[in-house]
Amino acid sequence: MPKLWGGRFEGNTDEFAEGFQSSIGFDCRMYREDITGSIAHARMLGEQGIIPKEDAGKIIEGLKGILEDIDAGKVEFSVHDEDIHMNVERLLTERVGDVGKKLHTGRSRNDQVATDFRLYMRRSVDETTQNLIQLCGVLIDIAEENTDTIMSAYTHLQKAQPTTLGHYMMAYFEMFYRDIERLIDCRRRTNILPLGSGALCATTYPLDRAMAAEELGMDEITRNSLDGVSDRDFALEYLSVASICMMHLSRLCEEIILFSTNEYGTLRLSDAYSTGSSIMPQKKNPDMAELIRGKTGRVYGDLMGLLTVMKGLPLAYNKDMQEDKEGVFDAVDTVNACLQVMCGMLKTAEWKKDMLQLGAGRGFTNATDAADYFVKNGMAFRDAHAVVGHLVLYCEQNGKAIDELTLEEIRKFAPDAKEDIFDAISLTTCVNTRNVPGGPAPEAVNEHIRQAKRLLGEL
Ligand code: ARG
């Protein structure tokens, strides 16, 4: 079978080289985008009188049939035809005859692949956004149920100050909401039509690019044909957002793994999201969380891969750019799967409120509040810091928490202390009085939750 571009060739492609340079094995994923792009192109060619309208009609019917058959699994692609674009064109001509050969008028595979990829990435951006919205919803649900579930927050992984599980979950909401915002921004620059850029210097046919853009639901057309065929920033932006999102997921996983250790004991993963050991009968491992953490590496790799493919490329299209897709597809699959697993894992996990509370009572998480108590009674903060430092040392030596000391013991370090210090440094007071926007007080977190729901509702 001759190649679609075979005219100027006398010899055949080496068989191994043919397989090597073919992309059908992975770009077949974009068959839907390829066909809808071609339908829009054909309709525009007909409307503009570049090809007869009835030919355009036949092409469109043929393409629709191909789409149905691929959907139904009835089509087998061929390596011989290199990529999805030429496979579809070959099928079309087989089905509708010579009019099929008119489809590629005023078009190149270079602007075609750029169009397909953008359409595919638009869909991927939307899918990832939906998964993120789901995850944000789960975080809000957990937060809402736990605005007064006291736990310790950490710096340096050392107990720092008391907070609530609600406050904690809403910190993750913020991270994932920023990912959504980034995706929305990335979508703006993705949803632009390069078709009409031709191979690189546009075309002499009177194309109506805006008409094709409108049919494809794209907001704009690209402004320079050289850039139109060689820009892959939209894919890099997706990979960047995906990498940041995986970093967020990975941080959450790290905490899930820590919290579900026997040492912390504050989180119990459901059986549905844990696995056992082939030798140690007692084991229940947080494999899903570890895997998400691990898969973060491959998404970073996908980003680095494409950045590196693009870095030395002269204008305009270069075959190197065929290497743009696999990594991106891998990232799309990975981040979407990880987001879904994270949703399920969080929804079914059980937080051990008693252990969270118990943990917050240890490690002197109320030491800052003890210092603040003395400040409110007239001491300079630096002095109060020193007094409480000594108190903590005394507590450590005597195996007690600050609030387990007697007033007499406290007065040895701070003669001004009164009975009301115990209320001032109770965990509940510590949390409830941190009532500034962004703080852990239930009132502040409830306000954050209201705002978060509003933000999600506006998407
Ligand atoms: N399969 C190619 C790709 O994915 C399509 C464009 C090929 N263009 C060319 N002139 N070889 O990039």
Side-chain angles (χ1 to χ4, degrees):
M1 207 172 5
K3 298 279 189 203
L4 289 183
W5 39 251
R8 59 104 60 228
F9 284 78
E10 287 178 333
N12 294 328
T13 321
D14 172 82
E15 213 182 297
F16 189 76
E18 182 168 80
F20 175 75
Q21 70 109 29
S22 155
S23 56
I24 185 65
F26 50 89
D27 64 18
C28 56
R29 271 216 201 198
M30 306 192 302
Y31 74 86
R32 182 175 310 283
E33 287 72 23
D34 192 71
I35 293 173
T36 44
S38 287
I39 290 176
H41 182 65
R43 193 177 335 269
M44 183 275 292
L45 291 178
E47 292 296 324
Q48 292 295 98
I50 300 168
I51 63 172
K53 255 192 180 172
E54 57 170 287
D55 287 356
K58 283 183 197 151
I59 290 173
I60 291 168
E61 280 321 298
L63 287 168
K64 284 183 179 165
I66 294 172
L67 181 57
E68 267 174 36
D69 287 353
I70 302 178
D71 274 341
K74 289 190 204 152
V75 172
E76 238 181 74
F77 297 116
S78 141
V79 174
H80 179 76
D81 284 323
E82 200 175 310
D83 54 28
I84 186 62
H85 326 294
M86 292 202 289
N87 267 274
V88 170
E89 192 180 322
R90 164 97 60 201
L91 283 167
L92 179 69
T93 310
E94 276 168 12
R95 291 179 181 208
V96 303
D98 280 352
V99 294
K101 295 181 182 170
K102 297 185 178 179
L103 170 62
H104 213 51
T105 313
R107 185 176 77 166
S108 156
R109 272 186 298 155
N110 298 351
D111 57 350
Q112 189 179 356
V113 71
T115 301
D116 293 6
F117 201 20
R118 280 175 181 269
L119 289 171
Y120 188 88
M121 290 318 292
R122 179 179 73 184
R123 179 149 66 93
S124 302
V125 163
D126 290 347
E127 232 177 272
T128 307
T129 305
Q130 284 312 314
N131 285 324
L132 275 162
I133 292 172
Q134 292 270 323
L135 178 57
C136 282
V138 173
L139 290 166
I140 290 177
D141 287 346
I142 301 173
E144 220 166 11
E145 282 166 28
N146 290 287
T147 50
D148 51 11
T149 305
I150 290 174
M151 67 182 279
S152 176
Y154 301 79
T155 62
H156 314 271
L157 215 50
Q158 305 284 324
K159 283 183 180 152
Q161 292 181 340
T163 183
T164 67
L165 182 56
H167 188 230
Y168 218 82
M169 289 294 109
M170 290 307 284
Y172 281 101
F173 166 85
E174 284 298 311
M175 297 183 215
F176 293 116
Y177 183 73
R178 284 195 295 275
D179 293 336
I180 294 177
E181 287 186 310
R182 274 184 277 269
L183 280 174
I184 291 171
D185 197 44
C186 163
R187 193 186 199 280
R188 277 198 309 121
R189 277 180 297 278
T190 303
N191 202 24
I192 300 174
L193 182 73
L195 201 64
S197 301
L200 74 170
C201 287
T203 177
T204 54
Y205 297 99
L207 304 182
D208 186 343
R209 298 185 59 205
M211 182 194 297
E214 187 171 340
E215 170 155 350
L216 293 169
M218 294 183 117
D219 302 323
E220 286 173 61
I221 56 175
T222 52
R223 290 187 290 262
N224 178 288
S225 63
L226 292 166
D227 180 56
V229 291
S230 61
D231 167 31
R232 293 294 182 270
D233 291 4
F234 58 96
L236 286 166
E237 284 189 40
Y238 177 87
L239 289 171
S240 312
V241 181
S243 295
I244 296 175
C245 176
M246 287 303 297
M247 176 270 287
H248 291 151
L249 284 169
S250 185
R251 291 181 69 180
L252 180 50
C253 285
E254 175 65 20
E255 303 222 68
I256 288 173
I257 293 162
L258 272 178
F259 292 170
S260 56
T261 58
N262 182 260
E263 285 77 4
Y264 278 76
T266 50
L267 181 66
R268 215 184 132 79
L269 292 177
S270 92
D271 286 358
Y273 290 89
S274 323
T275 53
S277 157
S278 60
I279 174 170
M280 296 169 281
Q282 85 285 10
K283 292 281 278 192
K284 185 171 164 190
N285 294 326
D287 285 30
M288 309 299 156
E290 290 170 295
L291 253 186
I292 295 173
R293 191 177 57 183
K295 282 177 187 290
T296 304
R298 60 195 278 168
V299 177
Y300 290 3
D302 295 330
L303 171 63
M304 287 316 297
L306 186 54
L307 281 170
T308 312
V309 165
M310 296 304 294
K311 77 175 260 294
L313 294 188
L315 286 176
Y317 179 84
N318 298 271
K319 183 82 166 189
D320 313 46
M321 289 163 67
Q322 182 167 290
E323 287 294 310
D324 60 0
K325 288 169 215 65
E326 285 162 290
V328 174
F329 293 161
D330 177 68
V332 169
D333 291 346
T334 304
V335 74
N336 284 330
C338 289
L339 285 167
Q340 285 176 44
V341 169
M342 179 57 86
C343 271
M345 183 162 55
L346 280 181
K347 260 195 214 166
T348 54
E350 186 197 337
W351 292 91
K352 299 286 184 193
K353 298 190 184 190
D354 48 342
M355 291 301 285
L356 287 166
Q357 167 102 28
L358 201 69
R362 296 194 186 128
F364 313 106
T365 59
N366 53 0
T368 314
D369 298 78
D372 288 342
Y373 170 84
F374 294 122
V375 169
K376 281 167 196 160
N377 287 302
M379 208 182 278
F381 180 76
R382 194 48 63 209
D383 295 331
H385 188 288
V387 166
V388 178
H390 289 122
L391 260 177
V392 166
L393 189 63
Y394 174 84
C395 285
E396 258 186 355
Q397 286 159 353
N398 292 276
K400 287 183 172 182
I402 304 177
D403 40 303
E404 284 167 358
L405 298 174
T406 63
L407 189 56
E408 286 63 44
E409 283 174 300
I410 296 176
R411 280 188 173 151
K412 280 191 227 153
F413 300 88
D416 292 350
K418 296 189 197 63
E419 192 60 37
D420 62 353
I421 187 172
F422 293 107
D423 182 48
I425 64 171
S426 82
L427 294 180
T428 315
T429 310
C430 294
V431 166
N432 290 355
T433 50
R434 285 180 158 70
N435 193 13
V436 292
E443 210 180 307
V445 173
N446 275 320
E447 177 51 32
H448 184 192
I449 290 173
R450 270 193 294 279
Q451 209 181 343
K453 285 183 176 171
R454 204 176 327 121
L455 288 171
L456 287 185
E458 282 165 7
L459 290 174

